[in-house]
Coordinates of all heavy atoms in Angstrom, one line a residue:
D101 N -37.2 1.5 -19.3 CA -38.5 0.8 -19.5 C -39.4 1.5 -20.5 O -40.0 0.9 -21.3 CB -39.2 0.8 -18.1 CG -38.6 -0.2 -17.2 OD1 -37.7 -1.0 -17.6 OD2 -39.1 -0.3 -16.0
M102 N -39.4 2.9 -20.3 CA -40.4 3.7 -21.1 C -39.8 4.0 -22.5 O -40.6 4.3 -23.4 CB -40.6 5.0 -20.4 CG -41.4 4.9 -19.1 SD -42.9 4.0 -19.2 CE -43.8 4.9 -20.4
G103 N -38.5 3.8 -22.7 CA -37.9 4.1 -24.0 C -38.0 5.6 -24.4 O -38.1 5.9 -25.6
V104 N -38.0 6.5 -23.4 CA -38.1 7.9 -23.8 C -36.6 8.4 -23.9 O -35.8 8.0 -23.2 CB -38.9 8.8 -22.8 CG1 -40.4 8.3 -22.8 CG2 -38.3 8.7 -21.4
T105 N -36.5 9.4 -24.8 CA -35.1 9.9 -25.0 C -35.0 11.4 -24.6 O -34.0 12.0 -24.8 CB -34.8 9.8 -26.5 OG1 -35.7 10.6 -27.3 CG2 -34.8 8.4 -26.9
Y106 N -36.1 12.0 -24.0 CA -36.0 13.4 -23.6 C -35.4 13.5 -22.2 O -35.4 12.5 -21.5 CB -37.3 14.1 -23.7 CG -38.5 13.5 -23.1 CD1 -38.8 13.7 -21.7 CD2 -39.4 12.7 -23.8 CE1 -39.9 13.1 -21.1 CE2 -40.5 12.2 -23.2 CZ -40.8 12.4 -21.9 OH -41.9 11.8 -21.3
P107 N -34.8 14.6 -21.8 CA -34.2 14.7 -20.5 C -35.1 14.7 -19.3 O -36.2 15.2 -19.3 CB -33.4 16.1 -20.6 CG -33.9 16.8 -21.8 CD -34.7 15.9 -22.6
L108 N -34.6 14.0 -18.3 CA -35.3 14.0 -17.0 C -34.5 14.6 -16.0 O -33.2 14.5 -16.0 CB -35.6 12.5 -16.6 CG -37.0 12.0 -16.9 CD1 -37.0 11.4 -18.3 CD2 -37.5 11.0 -15.8
L109 N -35.1 15.3 -15.0 CA -34.3 15.8 -13.9 C -34.8 15.2 -12.6 O -35.9 14.7 -12.5 CB -34.4 17.3 -13.9 CG -35.7 18.0 -13.5 CD1 -35.9 18.1 -12.0 CD2 -35.8 19.4 -14.2
L110 N -33.9 15.3 -11.6 CA -34.2 14.6 -10.4 C -34.7 15.7 -9.4 O -34.1 16.7 -9.1 CB -32.8 14.1 -9.8 CG -31.9 13.4 -10.8 CD1 -30.6 13.1 -10.1 CD2 -32.6 12.1 -11.3
D111 N -35.9 15.5 -8.9 CA -36.5 16.3 -8.0 C -36.7 15.5 -6.7 O -37.8 15.2 -6.3 CB -37.9 16.8 -8.5 CG -38.5 17.9 -7.6 OD1 -37.8 18.5 -6.7 OD2 -39.7 18.1 -7.7
E112 N -35.6 15.1 -6.1 CA -35.6 14.1 -5.1 C -36.4 14.5 -3.8 O -37.0 13.7 -3.1 CB -34.2 13.6 -4.7 CG -33.6 12.7 -5.8 CD -32.3 12.1 -5.4 OE1 -32.2 11.5 -4.3 OE2 -31.3 12.3 -6.2
D113 N -36.3 15.8 -3.5 CA -37.0 16.3 -2.3 C -38.4 16.9 -2.7 O -39.1 17.3 -1.8 CB -36.2 17.2 -1.5 CG -35.7 18.4 -2.4 OD1 -36.1 18.5 -3.6 OD2 -34.8 19.2 -1.9
G114 N -38.8 16.9 -4.0 CA -40.1 17.4 -4.4 C -40.2 18.9 -4.3 O -41.2 19.5 -4.5
K115 N -39.0 19.6 -4.2 CA -39.0 21.1 -4.1 C -39.6 21.7 -5.4 O -40.3 22.7 -5.3 CB -37.6 21.5 -3.9 CG -37.2 21.8 -2.5 CD -36.1 22.8 -2.3 CE -35.6 22.9 -0.9 NZ -34.5 22.0 -0.6
I116 N -39.2 21.2 -6.5 CA -39.6 21.8 -7.8 C -41.1 21.7 -7.9 O -41.9 22.6 -8.2 CB -38.9 21.3 -9.0 CG1 -37.4 21.6 -8.8 CG2 -39.4 21.9 -10.3 CD1 -36.5 20.9 -9.8
F117 N -41.6 20.4 -7.7 CA -43.0 20.1 -7.8 C -43.8 21.1 -6.9 O -44.9 21.6 -7.2 CB -43.3 18.7 -7.4 CG -44.6 18.1 -7.8 CD1 -45.1 18.2 -9.1 CD2 -45.4 17.6 -6.8 CE1 -46.4 17.7 -9.4 CE2 -46.7 17.1 -7.1 CZ -47.2 17.2 -8.4
S118 N -43.3 21.3 -5.7 CA -44.0 22.1 -4.7 C -44.1 23.6 -5.1 O -44.8 24.4 -4.5 CB -43.4 21.9 -3.3 OG -42.2 22.5 -3.2
L119 N -43.3 24.1 -6.0 CA -43.3 25.4 -6.5 C -44.6 25.6 -7.4 O -45.1 26.7 -7.5 CB -42.1 25.8 -7.4 CG -40.8 25.8 -6.8 CD1 -39.7 26.0 -7.9 CD2 -40.7 27.0 -5.8
Y120 N -45.1 24.5 -7.9 CA -46.2 24.6 -8.9 C -47.5 24.0 -8.3 O -48.6 24.3 -8.8 CB -45.8 23.8 -10.1 CG -44.8 24.5 -10.9 CD1 -43.4 24.3 -10.6 CD2 -45.1 25.4 -11.9 CE1 -42.4 25.0 -11.3 CE2 -44.1 26.1 -12.7 CZ -42.8 25.9 -12.3 OH -41.8 26.6 -13.0
T121 N -47.4 23.2 -7.3 CA -48.6 22.4 -6.8 C -48.7 22.5 -5.3 O -47.7 22.7 -4.6 CB -48.6 21.0 -7.2 OG1 -47.4 20.4 -6.6 CG2 -48.5 20.8 -8.7
E122 N -50.0 22.3 -4.8 CA -50.2 22.2 -3.4 C -49.6 20.9 -2.8 O -49.4 19.9 -3.6 CB -51.7 22.3 -3.0 CG -52.5 21.1 -3.5 CD -54.0 21.3 -3.2 OE1 -54.3 22.1 -2.3 OE2 -54.8 20.6 -3.8
K123 N -49.4 20.9 -1.5 CA -48.9 19.7 -0.9 C -49.8 18.5 -1.1 O -51.0 18.6 -1.0 CB -48.8 20.0 0.6 CG -47.9 19.0 1.4 CD -47.7 19.6 2.8 CE -47.1 18.5 3.7 NZ -45.9 17.8 3.3
G124 N -49.2 17.3 -1.5 CA -50.0 16.1 -1.7 C -50.7 16.0 -3.1 O -51.4 15.1 -3.3
A125 N -50.4 17.0 -3.9 CA -51.1 16.9 -5.3 C -50.5 15.8 -6.1 O -49.3 15.4 -5.9 CB -50.8 18.3 -6.0
G126 N -51.3 15.3 -7.0 CA -50.8 14.1 -7.8 C -50.0 14.6 -9.0 O -50.0 15.7 -9.4
V127 N -49.2 13.6 -9.5 CA -48.4 13.9 -10.7 C -49.2 13.7 -12.0 O -50.4 13.8 -11.9 CB -47.0 13.1 -10.7 CG1 -46.0 13.6 -9.8 CG2 -47.3 11.6 -10.5
T128 N -48.5 13.5 -13.1 CA -49.1 13.6 -14.4 C -49.6 15.0 -14.7 O -50.8 15.2 -14.6 CB -50.2 12.6 -14.7 OG1 -50.0 11.3 -14.1 CG2 -50.4 12.3 -16.2
R129 N -48.7 15.9 -14.9 CA -49.0 17.3 -15.2 C -48.0 17.7 -16.3 O -46.8 17.4 -16.2 CB -48.8 18.1 -14.0 CG -49.7 17.8 -12.9 CD -49.4 18.6 -11.6 NE -50.3 18.1 -10.5 CZ -51.4 18.7 -10.3 NH1 -51.9 19.7 -10.9 NH2 -52.2 18.2 -9.3
N130 N -48.5 18.6 -17.1 CA -47.6 19.3 -18.1 C -47.8 20.8 -17.9 O -48.9 21.2 -17.8 CB -47.8 18.9 -19.5 CG -47.5 17.4 -19.7 OD1 -46.4 16.9 -19.5 ND2 -48.6 16.6 -20.0
I131 N -46.7 21.5 -18.0 CA -46.8 23.0 -18.0 C -46.1 23.5 -19.2 O -44.9 23.2 -19.4 CB -46.1 23.5 -16.7 CG1 -46.9 22.9 -15.5 CG2 -46.1 25.0 -16.7 CD1 -46.3 23.3 -14.1
I132 N -46.8 24.4 -20.0 CA -46.1 25.0 -21.1 C -45.8 26.4 -20.8 O -46.7 27.2 -20.3 CB -47.0 24.9 -22.4 CG1 -47.5 23.5 -22.7 CG2 -46.3 25.5 -23.6 CD1 -46.4 22.5 -22.9
I133 N -44.6 26.8 -21.0 CA -44.1 28.1 -20.7 C -43.6 28.8 -22.0 O -42.9 28.2 -22.8 CB -42.9 28.0 -19.7 CG1 -43.4 27.3 -18.4 CG2 -42.3 29.4 -19.4 CD1 -42.3 26.7 -17.6
D134 N -44.1 30.1 -22.2 CA -43.8 30.7 -23.5 C -42.4 31.4 -23.4 O -41.7 31.3 -22.4 CB -44.9 31.7 -23.9 CG -44.9 33.0 -23.0 OD1 -44.0 33.2 -22.2 OD2 -45.9 33.8 -23.2
K135 N -42.0 32.0 -24.5 CA -40.6 32.6 -24.6 C -40.4 33.7 -23.6 O -39.2 34.0 -23.3 CB -40.4 33.1 -26.0 CG -40.4 31.9 -27.0 CD -40.3 32.4 -28.5 CE -40.3 31.2 -29.4 NZ -40.3 31.6 -30.8
E136 N -41.4 34.3 -23.1 CA -41.2 35.3 -22.0 C -41.2 34.7 -20.6 O -41.1 35.5 -19.6 CB -42.4 36.3 -22.1 CG -42.3 37.4 -23.2 CD -42.6 36.9 -24.5 OE1 -43.8 36.4 -24.7 OE2 -41.8 36.9 -25.4
G137 N -41.3 33.4 -20.5 CA -41.3 32.8 -19.2 C -42.7 32.7 -18.5 O -42.8 32.3 -17.4
K138 N -43.7 33.0 -19.3 CA -45.1 32.9 -18.7 C -45.7 31.5 -18.9 O -45.5 30.9 -20.0 CB -46.0 33.9 -19.4 CG -45.8 35.3 -18.9 CD -47.0 36.2 -19.3 CE -46.8 37.6 -19.0 NZ -46.5 38.4 -20.2
I139 N -46.5 31.1 -18.0 CA -47.3 29.9 -18.1 C -48.5 30.1 -19.0 O -49.3 31.0 -18.8 CB -47.8 29.4 -16.7 CG1 -46.5 29.1 -15.8 CG2 -48.7 28.2 -16.8 CD1 -46.9 28.8 -14.4
V140 N -48.5 29.3 -20.1 CA -49.6 29.5 -21.0 C -50.6 28.3 -21.1 O -51.6 28.3 -21.7 CB -49.1 29.8 -22.4 CG1 -48.5 31.2 -22.4 CG2 -48.1 28.8 -22.9
F141 N -50.2 27.1 -20.6 CA -51.0 25.9 -20.6 C -50.7 25.0 -19.5 O -49.5 24.8 -19.2 CB -50.8 25.2 -22.0 CG -52.0 24.3 -22.4 CD1 -53.2 24.9 -22.9 CD2 -52.0 23.0 -22.2 CE1 -54.3 24.1 -23.3 CE2 -53.1 22.2 -22.6 CZ -54.2 22.7 -23.1
L142 N -51.7 24.4 -18.9 CA -51.5 23.5 -17.7 C -52.4 22.3 -18.0 O -53.6 22.4 -18.3 CB -52.0 24.1 -16.4 CG -51.3 25.4 -15.9 CD1 -52.1 26.1 -14.9 CD2 -49.9 25.0 -15.4
T143 N -51.8 21.1 -17.9 CA -52.6 19.9 -18.0 C -52.6 19.1 -16.7 O -51.7 19.2 -15.9 CB -52.1 18.9 -19.1 OG1 -50.9 18.3 -18.7 CG2 -51.9 19.7 -20.4
R144 N -53.6 18.2 -16.5 CA -53.6 17.3 -15.4 C -54.2 16.0 -15.9 O -55.2 16.0 -16.6 CB -54.5 17.9 -14.3 CG -54.8 17.0 -13.1 CD -53.6 16.9 -12.2 NE -53.9 15.9 -11.1 CZ -53.4 14.7 -11.0 NH1 -52.5 14.3 -11.8 NH2 -53.7 14.0 -9.9
L145 N -53.5 14.9 -15.6 CA -53.8 13.5 -16.1 C -53.6 13.5 -17.6 O -53.1 14.4 -18.2 CB -55.2 13.1 -15.7 CG -55.4 13.0 -14.1 CD1 -56.8 12.7 -13.8 CD2 -54.5 11.9 -13.6
F146 N -54.0 12.4 -18.2 CA -53.8 12.3 -19.7 C -55.1 12.2 -20.4 O -55.8 11.1 -20.3 CB -52.9 11.1 -20.0 CG -52.7 10.8 -21.4 CD1 -52.2 11.8 -22.3 CD2 -53.0 9.6 -22.0 CE1 -52.0 11.6 -23.6 CE2 -52.8 9.4 -23.4 CZ -52.3 10.4 -24.2
E147 N -55.5 13.2 -21.0 CA -56.7 13.2 -21.8 C -56.3 13.6 -23.2 O -55.7 14.6 -23.5 CB -57.7 14.3 -21.3 CG -57.8 14.2 -19.8 CD -59.2 14.1 -19.3 OE1 -60.1 14.5 -20.0 OE2 -59.4 13.7 -18.1
R148 N -56.8 12.8 -24.2 CA -56.4 13.0 -25.6 C -56.7 14.4 -26.1 O -55.9 15.0 -26.7 CB -57.0 11.9 -26.4 CG -56.5 11.8 -27.8 CD -55.1 11.3 -27.9 NE -54.3 12.3 -28.6 CZ -53.1 12.0 -29.1 NH1 -52.6 10.8 -29.0 NH2 -52.4 12.9 -29.8
E149 N -57.9 14.9 -25.8 CA -58.3 16.2 -26.3 C -57.4 17.3 -25.7 O -56.9 18.2 -26.5 CB -59.7 16.4 -25.9 CG -60.4 17.4 -26.7 CD -61.9 17.6 -26.2 OE1 -62.5 16.6 -25.8 OE2 -62.4 18.7 -26.3
E150 N -57.1 17.2 -24.4 CA -56.3 18.2 -23.8 C -54.9 18.1 -24.3 O -54.2 19.1 -24.6 CB -56.3 18.0 -22.3 CG -55.6 19.1 -21.5 CD -55.7 18.8 -20.0 OE1 -55.2 17.7 -19.5 OE2 -56.2 19.7 -19.3
F151 N -54.4 16.9 -24.6 CA -53.1 16.7 -25.1 C -52.9 17.3 -26.5 O -51.9 17.9 -26.8 CB -52.8 15.2 -25.1 CG -51.4 14.8 -25.4 CD1 -50.4 14.8 -24.3 CD2 -50.9 14.5 -26.7 CE1 -49.1 14.4 -24.6 CE2 -49.6 14.1 -26.9 CZ -48.7 14.1 -25.9
D152 N -53.9 17.1 -27.3 CA -53.9 17.7 -28.7 C -53.9 19.2 -28.6 O -53.3 19.9 -29.4 CB -55.1 17.2 -29.5 CG -54.9 15.7 -29.9 OD1 -53.7 15.2 -29.9 OD2 -55.9 15.0 -30.2
Q153 N -54.7 19.8 -27.6 CA -54.7 21.2 -27.5 C -53.3 21.7 -27.1 O -52.8 22.7 -27.6 CB -55.7 21.6 -26.3 CG -57.1 21.6 -26.7 CD -58.0 22.0 -25.5 OE1 -57.7 21.5 -24.4 NE2 -58.9 22.9 -25.7
M154 N -52.7 21.0 -26.2 CA -51.3 21.3 -25.8 C -50.3 21.3 -26.9 O -49.5 22.2 -27.1 CB -50.8 20.4 -24.7 CG -49.4 20.6 -24.2 SD -48.9 19.6 -22.8 CE -48.8 18.0 -23.6
K155 N -50.4 20.3 -27.8 CA -49.6 20.2 -29.0 C -49.8 21.4 -29.9 O -48.8 22.0 -30.4 CB -49.9 18.9 -29.8 CG -49.3 17.7 -29.1 CD -49.5 16.4 -29.8 CE -50.2 16.4 -31.1 NZ -50.4 15.1 -31.6
E156 N -51.0 21.9 -30.0 CA -51.3 23.0 -30.8 C -50.7 24.3 -30.2 O -50.2 25.1 -30.9 CB -52.9 23.2 -30.9 CG -53.4 23.8 -32.1 CD -54.9 23.8 -32.2 OE1 -55.4 22.6 -32.2 OE2 -55.5 24.8 -32.2
V157 N -50.8 24.4 -28.9 CA -50.2 25.6 -28.2 C -48.7 25.6 -28.5 O -48.2 26.7 -28.8 CB -50.5 25.5 -26.7 CG1 -49.7 26.5 -25.9 CG2 -52.0 25.8 -26.4
I158 N -48.1 24.5 -28.3 CA -46.6 24.4 -28.6 C -46.3 24.8 -30.0 O -45.4 25.6 -30.3 CB -46.1 23.0 -28.3 CG1 -46.2 22.7 -26.8 CG2 -44.6 22.9 -28.7 CD1 -45.9 21.2 -26.4
D159 N -47.0 24.3 -31.0 CA -46.8 24.6 -32.4 C -47.0 26.1 -32.6 O -46.1 26.7 -33.3 CB -47.8 23.8 -33.3 CG -47.5 22.3 -33.3 OD1 -46.3 21.9 -32.9 OD2 -48.3 21.5 -33.8
N160 N -48.0 26.7 -32.1 CA -48.3 28.1 -32.3 C -47.2 28.9 -31.7 O -46.7 29.9 -32.3 CB -49.6 28.5 -31.7 CG -50.8 27.9 -32.5 OD1 -50.7 27.5 -33.6 ND2 -52.0 27.8 -31.8
L161 N -46.7 28.6 -30.5 CA -45.7 29.4 -29.8 C -44.4 29.3 -30.6 O -43.6 30.3 -30.8 CB -45.4 28.8 -28.4 CG -46.5 29.1 -27.4 CD1 -46.2 28.4 -26.1 CD2 -46.6 30.6 -27.1

Side-chain angles (χ1 to χ4, degrees):
D101 287 352
M102 294 307 301
V104 296
T105 60
Y106 52 84
L108 261 91
L109 68 86
L110 316 173
D111 186 17
E112 287 187 53
D113 52 9
K115 264 203 187 98
I116 298 170
F117 193 58
S118 69
L119 293 173
Y120 291 85
T121 61
E122 68 182 341
K123 196 169 166 51
V127 285
T128 320
R129 294 172 186 270
N130 297 298
I131 299 176
I132 307 299
I133 301 163
D134 72 8
K135 294 175 182 175
E136 279 76 59
K138 279 197 189 106
I139 295 172
V140 292
F141 202 78
L142 297 165
T143 71
R144 172 76 181 111
L145 299 174
F146 175 56
E147 315 233 338
R148 190 66 236 198
E149 200 179 328
E150 187 178 59
F151 192 83
D152 288 339
Q153 282 179 315
M154 177 174 70
K155 288 185 352 188
E156 209 173 298
V157 167
I158 294 168
D159 290 343
N160 291 340
L161 289 170

